[in-house]
Amino acid sequence: MWLCRKTKSGNTRFFCKKGLKHMRTFRLEIDQTNAGHTIKDIFRHQFSFSTHMISRLKVSGGVQLNGKQVRVTHMVQEGDILCAIMPEEHTWIAPSDVVVPILYEDEDILIADKPPNMAVHPSAGNRENTLANALMGHWQRRGEQYIFRAVNRLDKGTSGLMAVAKNPHSHHILSRQLQEGRLNRTYLAICCGNTNENGKIDLPISRIPGSTMKRQISSNGKNAITHYQTIQRLDGYSLIELRLETGRTHQIRVHMSAIGHPLAGDWLYGERIDELDRPALHSSSISFPHPINHKMIMLTSKLPTDLKSFLDGREYL
C-alpha cells in the first residue's frame, strides 16, 4: 500500500507503508582474497560503488558487518558477512493503473516495451499517463517502492524497449555502459523515399536557438553518429534498421531528415501523414551486461501494430 503526504510546497510525496519491500541489499561473504582490506576498498573494487553511493550508505547507516553497523574504514576478515543496504527512498510520481509490457525484471533492473505516444516522465500537462506512472503502479501492486530511473530515453512518439534501473547503484553502472557504448540499442524506422543499402551519418547536432524542442545540424553542435541499413524498400518508403554511436536528442529524426529521408509521420522534421499519428520509430532491441551479475541481457521487440499496418498497405519493390 502506498501513502501520500502533502509537503510545504504543495507537492505530493508518495511512499510505501512501513514493512513493505523497498530496499536492495548487497551481501558478500569475505574470502581470503578480500580479507585484510577495508570495507571502503571492497565497496569500490568488488561492488563498483561510486563515491556518492558510499557516502549515502555511510549517512544512512547501511554498512553492516556480521549484522552490526560499522565504519567503511573497518578492516574485514575471512568469514565475515558484509552487507550494504540501499537507503530508503521516496518518490514524487503518482502510481497509475496503466499497464505496460515488461519483458524482463529482477531486483536491479526492468526492461519495458513502451507503447507509442506515451511520455516517459510526468510534466506540467501530463502528471499521470506516463511510463513512470505506469511502473509506479506496477510496483505498488506488488507492495514495492522504487524510484523511476530511466537509463535510455525515448521520445513520446517512439515505441519500444527502455531500460530502467531500480536502485542508484545499477543506474550508475548502466549509465556508464551507455556512455561507453556497451549498452547497445537498435531501432527500426520507416523513412520517406528509397534509402541506400547502408550508410553512416556523421553530423553534429545542436538545439535551435529559441526552441525548447527542435534540433538542427550545426558545426557548433555535439558529435552525433548514426549507422543505418535498409531492410526493405517500398513504394515511396524504406524500412531501415539503425544503430547509434551517440545518443543526442532527436538524433535519428534529425539525421534522416538531413540526408533527405525524414521519418514517416515526423511532423517536426518532415511532413504529417494521415495514416500515422507519430514518427515511425521503434526501439527494437537492447543488449548489455547485467550491472550486478554481468550476464548478458539481450531482448527484442516486434514492430508495433500501427507501423506494421502502414507497411502492409504498400507494395514492396
Side-chain angles (χ1 to χ4, degrees), residues 126-244:
N126 183 11
R127 295 290 188 185
E128 298 180 353
N129 300 311
T130 72
L131 180 65
N133 298 117
L135 292 185
M136 289 298 166
H138 164 71
W139 291 321
Q140 177 199 40
R141 291 187 287 273
R142 301 195 310 190
E144 298 174 346
Q145 176 189 359
Y146 297 98
I147 297 295
F148 177 79
R149 295 180 170 90
V151 179
N152 62 308
R153 308 296 177 91
L154 297 180
D155 296 337
K156 178 181 178 180
T158 304
S159 56
L161 302 180
M162 270 194 62
V164 177
K166 295 172 68 175
N167 59 67
H169 180 47
S170 58
H171 185 261
H172 168 71
I173 294 177
L174 290 176
S175 296
R176 189 170 62 193
Q177 289 182 7
L178 186 63
Q179 293 173 358
E180 296 172 351
R182 293 187 291 130
L183 193 154
N184 298 304
R185 300 150 292 153
T186 59
Y187 295 79
L188 292 174
I190 303 170
C191 59
C192 300
N194 294 142
T195 53
N196 295 330
E197 184 175 346
N198 54 66
K200 174 183 178 181
I201 308 171
D202 186 352
L203 296 170
I205 295 175
S206 69
R207 185 195 302 269
I208 292 181
S211 174
T212 59
M213 181 184 300
K214 197 170 184 180
R215 266 59 177 176
Q216 65 181 352
I217 302 298
S218 170
S219 58
N220 297 321
K222 295 181 179 179
N223 177 51
I225 300 175
T226 303
H227 300 267
Y228 74 87
Q229 181 174 353
T230 300
I231 298 175
Q232 183 66 61
R233 294 186 179 92
L234 303 94
D235 183 15
Y237 297 93
S238 297
L239 174 64
I240 61 175
E241 182 179 79
L242 305 108
R243 180 176 60 84
L244 305 182

